[in-house]
PDB file of all heavy atoms in Angstrom:
ATOM      1  N   ILE A 150      -8.141  19.611  10.512  1.00 98.00           N
ATOM      2  CA  ILE A 150      -7.812  20.245  11.780  1.00 98.00           C
ATOM      3  C   ILE A 150      -8.638  19.788  12.897  1.00 98.00           C
ATOM      4  O   ILE A 150      -9.780  19.451  12.739  1.00 98.00           O
ATOM      5  CB  ILE A 150      -7.885  21.742  11.728  1.00 98.00           C
ATOM      6  CG1 ILE A 150      -9.320  22.244  11.781  1.00 98.00           C
ATOM      7  CG2 ILE A 150      -7.204  22.379  10.545  1.00 98.00           C
ATOM      8  CD1 ILE A 150      -9.437  23.718  12.108  1.00 98.00           C
ATOM      9  N   MET A 151      -8.069  19.713  14.094  1.00 98.00           N
ATOM     10  CA  MET A 151      -8.945  19.659  15.262  1.00 98.00           C
ATOM     11  C   MET A 151      -8.940  21.144  15.719  1.00 98.00           C
ATOM     12  O   MET A 151      -7.939  21.664  16.020  1.00 98.00           O
ATOM     13  CB  MET A 151      -8.230  18.882  16.492  1.00 98.00           C
ATOM     14  CG  MET A 151      -9.182  18.730  17.688  1.00 98.00           C
ATOM     15  SD  MET A 151      -9.194  20.193  18.717  1.00 98.00           S
ATOM     16  CE  MET A 151     -10.991  20.345  18.996  1.00 98.00           C
ATOM     17  N   GLY A 152     -10.095  21.694  15.668  1.00 98.00           N
ATOM     18  CA  GLY A 152     -10.258  23.061  16.067  1.00 98.00           C
ATOM     19  C   GLY A 152     -11.586  23.562  15.697  1.00 98.00           C
ATOM     20  O   GLY A 152     -12.347  22.906  14.957  1.00 98.00           O
ATOM     21  N   GLY A 153     -11.951  24.722  16.304  1.00 98.00           N
ATOM     22  CA  GLY A 153     -13.263  25.398  16.014  1.00 98.00           C
ATOM     23  C   GLY A 153     -14.285  24.597  16.675  1.00 98.00           C
ATOM     24  O   GLY A 153     -14.081  23.638  17.454  1.00 98.00           O
ATOM     25  N   SER A 154     -15.581  25.060  16.346  1.00 98.00           N
ATOM     26  CA  SER A 154     -16.715  24.368  16.954  1.00 98.00           C
ATOM     27  C   SER A 154     -18.029  24.960  16.200  1.00 98.00           C
ATOM     28  O   SER A 154     -17.998  26.166  15.816  1.00 98.00           O
ATOM     29  CB  SER A 154     -16.905  24.639  18.412  1.00 98.00           C
ATOM     30  OG  SER A 154     -18.074  24.085  18.864  1.00 98.00           O
ATOM     31  N   THR A 155     -18.955  24.075  16.014  1.00 98.00           N
ATOM     32  CA  THR A 155     -20.258  24.564  15.385  1.00 98.00           C
ATOM     33  C   THR A 155     -21.066  25.125  16.517  1.00 98.00           C
ATOM     34  O   THR A 155     -22.024  25.960  16.287  1.00 98.00           O
ATOM     35  CB  THR A 155     -20.965  23.395  14.743  1.00 98.00           C
ATOM     36  OG1 THR A 155     -20.048  22.845  13.760  1.00 98.00           O
ATOM     37  CG2 THR A 155     -22.215  23.780  13.983  1.00 98.00           C
ATOM     38  N   THR A 156     -20.746  24.787  17.787  1.00 98.00           N
ATOM     39  CA  THR A 156     -21.618  25.296  18.868  1.00 98.00           C
ATOM     40  C   THR A 156     -20.657  25.862  19.994  1.00 98.00           C
ATOM     41  O   THR A 156     -20.109  26.911  19.750  1.00 98.00           O
ATOM     42  CB  THR A 156     -22.390  24.163  19.443  1.00 98.00           C
ATOM     43  OG1 THR A 156     -21.521  23.113  19.822  1.00 98.00           O
ATOM     44  CG2 THR A 156     -23.411  23.630  18.410  1.00 98.00           C
ATOM     45  N   ILE A 157     -20.481  25.096  21.021  1.00 97.00           N
ATOM     46  CA  ILE A 157     -19.812  25.710  22.243  1.00 97.00           C
ATOM     47  C   ILE A 157     -18.283  25.779  22.122  1.00 97.00           C
ATOM     48  O   ILE A 157     -17.674  25.050  21.296  1.00 97.00           O
ATOM     49  CB  ILE A 157     -20.175  24.897  23.484  1.00 97.00           C
ATOM     50  CG1 ILE A 157     -19.690  23.506  23.268  1.00 97.00           C
ATOM     51  CG2 ILE A 157     -21.564  24.964  23.812  1.00 97.00           C
ATOM     52  CD1 ILE A 157     -19.656  22.668  24.581  1.00 97.00           C
ATOM     53  N   GLY A 158     -17.686  26.637  22.859  1.00 97.00           N
ATOM     54  CA  GLY A 158     -16.240  26.843  22.907  1.00 97.00           C
ATOM     55  C   GLY A 158     -15.716  26.357  24.276  1.00 97.00           C
ATOM     56  O   GLY A 158     -16.381  25.872  25.128  1.00 97.00           O
ATOM     57  N   ASN A 159     -14.400  26.444  24.409  1.00 96.00           N
ATOM     58  CA  ASN A 159     -13.728  26.108  25.670  1.00 96.00           C
ATOM     59  C   ASN A 159     -12.764  27.220  26.097  1.00 96.00           C
ATOM     60  O   ASN A 159     -12.150  27.167  27.152  1.00 96.00           O
ATOM     61  CB  ASN A 159     -12.991  24.785  25.611  1.00 96.00           C
ATOM     62  CG  ASN A 159     -11.942  24.666  24.435  1.00 96.00           C
ATOM     63  OD1 ASN A 159     -11.729  25.707  23.793  1.00 96.00           O
ATOM     64  ND2 ASN A 159     -11.418  23.551  24.297  1.00 96.00           N
ATOM     65  N   CYS A 160     -12.669  28.302  25.292  1.00 95.00           N
ATOM     66  CA  CYS A 160     -11.885  29.490  25.698  1.00 95.00           C
ATOM     67  C   CYS A 160     -12.737  30.700  26.003  1.00 95.00           C
ATOM     68  O   CYS A 160     -12.602  31.493  26.901  1.00 95.00           O
ATOM     69  CB  CYS A 160     -10.804  29.794  24.680  1.00 95.00           C
ATOM     70  SG  CYS A 160      -9.382  28.761  24.959  1.00 95.00           S
ATOM     71  N   LEU A 161     -13.721  30.834  25.070  1.00 95.00           N
ATOM     72  CA  LEU A 161     -14.871  31.804  25.244  1.00 95.00           C
ATOM     73  C   LEU A 161     -16.158  30.948  24.978  1.00 95.00           C
ATOM     74  O   LEU A 161     -15.990  29.864  24.504  1.00 95.00           O
ATOM     75  CB  LEU A 161     -14.725  33.000  24.192  1.00 95.00           C
ATOM     76  CG  LEU A 161     -13.625  34.043  24.491  1.00 95.00           C
ATOM     77  CD1 LEU A 161     -13.591  35.073  23.393  1.00 95.00           C
ATOM     78  CD2 LEU A 161     -13.819  34.648  25.845  1.00 95.00           C
ATOM     79  N   PRO A 162     -17.276  31.582  25.295  1.00 97.00           N
ATOM     80  CA  PRO A 162     -18.458  30.742  25.230  1.00 97.00           C
ATOM     81  C   PRO A 162     -18.569  30.027  23.879  1.00 97.00           C
ATOM     82  O   PRO A 162     -19.130  28.861  23.773  1.00 97.00           O
ATOM     83  CB  PRO A 162     -19.660  31.770  25.303  1.00 97.00           C
ATOM     84  CG  PRO A 162     -19.056  32.760  26.215  1.00 97.00           C
ATOM     85  CD  PRO A 162     -17.558  32.900  25.943  1.00 97.00           C
ATOM     86  N   TYR A 163     -18.112  30.646  22.715  1.00 97.00           N
ATOM     87  CA  TYR A 163     -18.214  29.972  21.437  1.00 97.00           C
ATOM     88  C   TYR A 163     -16.864  29.828  20.719  1.00 97.00           C
ATOM     89  O   TYR A 163     -16.814  29.654  19.526  1.00 97.00           O
ATOM     90  CB  TYR A 163     -19.154  30.776  20.555  1.00 97.00           C
ATOM     91  CG  TYR A 163     -20.483  31.025  21.149  1.00 97.00           C
ATOM     92  CD1 TYR A 163     -20.921  32.221  21.661  1.00 97.00           C
ATOM     93  CD2 TYR A 163     -21.435  29.898  21.153  1.00 97.00           C
ATOM     94  CE1 TYR A 163     -22.239  32.282  22.259  1.00 97.00           C
ATOM     95  CE2 TYR A 163     -22.654  29.987  21.770  1.00 97.00           C
ATOM     96  CZ  TYR A 163     -23.067  31.205  22.294  1.00 97.00           C
ATOM     97  OH  TYR A 163     -24.313  31.356  22.844  1.00 97.00           O
ATOM     98  N   SER A 164     -15.780  29.982  21.457  1.00 97.00           N
ATOM     99  CA  SER A 164     -14.451  29.971  20.814  1.00 97.00           C
ATOM    100  C   SER A 164     -13.594  28.795  21.365  1.00 97.00           C
ATOM    101  O   SER A 164     -13.403  28.650  22.588  1.00 97.00           O
ATOM    102  CB  SER A 164     -13.689  31.287  21.068  1.00 97.00           C
ATOM    103  OG  SER A 164     -14.442  32.323  20.589  1.00 97.00           O
ATOM    104  N   GLU A 165     -13.174  27.972  20.484  1.00 98.00           N
ATOM    105  CA  GLU A 165     -12.332  26.722  20.764  1.00 98.00           C
ATOM    106  C   GLU A 165     -10.887  27.189  20.843  1.00 98.00           C
ATOM    107  O   GLU A 165     -10.389  28.057  20.079  1.00 98.00           O
ATOM    108  CB  GLU A 165     -12.579  25.674  19.802  1.00 98.00           C
ATOM    109  CG  GLU A 165     -11.812  24.384  19.946  1.00 98.00           C
ATOM    110  CD  GLU A 165     -10.415  24.534  19.418  1.00 98.00           C
ATOM    111  OE1 GLU A 165     -10.201  25.249  18.464  1.00 98.00           O
ATOM    112  OE2 GLU A 165      -9.495  23.897  20.038  1.00 98.00           O
ATOM    113  N   ALA A 166     -10.102  26.511  21.701  1.00 97.00           N
ATOM    114  CA  ALA A 166      -8.742  26.953  22.098  1.00 97.00           C
ATOM    115  C   ALA A 166      -7.799  27.054  20.831  1.00 97.00           C
ATOM    116  O   ALA A 166      -7.097  28.115  20.667  1.00 97.00           O
ATOM    117  CB  ALA A 166      -8.055  25.921  22.989  1.00 97.00           C
ATOM    118  N   ASN A 167      -7.796  26.073  19.897  1.00 98.00           N
ATOM    119  CA  ASN A 167      -6.762  26.138  18.797  1.00 98.00           C
ATOM    120  C   ASN A 167      -6.989  27.294  17.909  1.00 98.00           C
ATOM    121  O   ASN A 167      -6.074  27.863  17.374  1.00 98.00           O
ATOM    122  CB  ASN A 167      -6.763  24.853  18.042  1.00 98.00           C
ATOM    123  CG  ASN A 167      -6.113  23.669  18.815  1.00 98.00           C
ATOM    124  OD1 ASN A 167      -5.374  23.996  19.743  1.00 98.00           O
ATOM    125  ND2 ASN A 167      -6.456  22.517  18.493  1.00 98.00           N
ATOM    126  N   ILE A 168      -8.293  27.680  17.738  1.00 98.00           N
ATOM    127  CA  ILE A 168      -8.603  28.792  16.860  1.00 98.00           C
ATOM    128  C   ILE A 168      -8.447  30.088  17.743  1.00 98.00           C
ATOM    129  O   ILE A 168      -7.809  31.108  17.225  1.00 98.00           O
ATOM    130  CB  ILE A 168      -9.998  28.804  16.292  1.00 98.00           C
ATOM    131  CG1 ILE A 168     -10.283  27.413  15.687  1.00 98.00           C
ATOM    132  CG2 ILE A 168     -10.359  29.946  15.356  1.00 98.00           C
ATOM    133  CD1 ILE A 168      -9.444  27.121  14.389  1.00 98.00           C
ATOM    134  N   PHE A 169      -8.875  30.050  18.916  1.00 96.00           N
ATOM    135  CA  PHE A 169      -8.835  31.213  19.870  1.00 96.00           C
ATOM    136  C   PHE A 169      -7.419  31.732  19.966  1.00 96.00           C
ATOM    137  O   PHE A 169      -7.047  32.951  20.092  1.00 96.00           O
ATOM    138  CB  PHE A 169      -9.452  30.855  21.203  1.00 96.00           C
ATOM    139  CG  PHE A 169      -9.296  31.947  22.269  1.00 96.00           C
ATOM    140  CD1 PHE A 169     -10.178  33.062  22.194  1.00 96.00           C
ATOM    141  CD2 PHE A 169      -8.365  31.997  23.246  1.00 96.00           C
ATOM    142  CE1 PHE A 169     -10.126  34.087  23.171  1.00 96.00           C
ATOM    143  CE2 PHE A 169      -8.236  32.986  24.180  1.00 96.00           C
ATOM    144  CZ  PHE A 169      -9.157  34.027  24.178  1.00 96.00           C
TER     145      PHE A 169
END
Side-chain angles (χ1 to χ4, degrees):
I150 74 162
M151 189 280 136
S154 177
T155 304
T156 57
I157 58 165
N159 55 5
C160 276
L161 287 177
Y163 300 105
S164 301
E165 177 280 329
N167 287 339
I168 307 297
F169 176 80

